[in-house]
């Protein structure tokens, strides 16, 4: 998660501690969990899911976060690859 960005954006790749990661840039600052919540909502929107389907598993106070996505199916898996890598693998 990149807090304090000039614009919100979901896409791009970063090799993080959990493996290849999706980059989520949000406008909100990293204060009182605002950037974490904005990233959760942005991820849900990018995947076409309701925000309640995405929850934080690890990384509350870190830029590297692990989110759990409920109802993960092949269509969502393909969408994650598109967002992270720019193409379907």
């Amino acid at each position: 998660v990149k807090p304090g960005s000039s614009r919100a954006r979901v896409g791009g790749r970063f090799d993080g501690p959990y493996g290849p990661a999706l980059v989520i840039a949000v406008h909100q600052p990293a204060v009182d969990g605002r950037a974490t919540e904005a990233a959760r909502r942005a991820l849900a929107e990018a995947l076409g899911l309701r925000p309640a389907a995405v929850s934080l598993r690890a990384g509350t106070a870190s830029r590297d976060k692990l989110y759990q996505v409920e109802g993960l199916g092949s269509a969502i898996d393909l969408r994650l690859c598109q967002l992270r890598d720019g193409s379907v693998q």
Side-chain angles (χ1 to χ4, degrees):
V1 173
K2 292 183 175 184
S5 295
S6 59
R7 66 181 183 97
R9 181 177 72 81
V10 178
R13 181 186 178 112
F14 174 77
D15 291 321
Y18 302 111
L22 175 64
V23 176
I24 304 173
V26 294
H27 181 68
Q28 290 76 359
V31 176
D32 297 329
R34 293 182 355 207
T36 299
E37 177 61 16
R40 183 182 72 85
R41 289 181 174 276
L43 178 58
E45 183 178 335
L47 295 176
L49 300 171
R50 56 186 172 73
V54 179
S55 60
L56 183 67
R57 293 284 314 265
T60 302
S62 170
R63 287 179 180 238
D64 298 312
K65 301 190 183 303
L66 183 61
Y67 287 97
Q68 178 176 331
V69 179
E70 291 181 24
L72 193 61
S74 60
I76 292 174
D77 193 35
L78 289 173
R79 180 67 179 140
L80 281 169
C81 285
Q82 288 173 333
L83 290 168
R84 187 189 66 206
D85 302 324
S87 63
V88 178
Q89 294 183 355

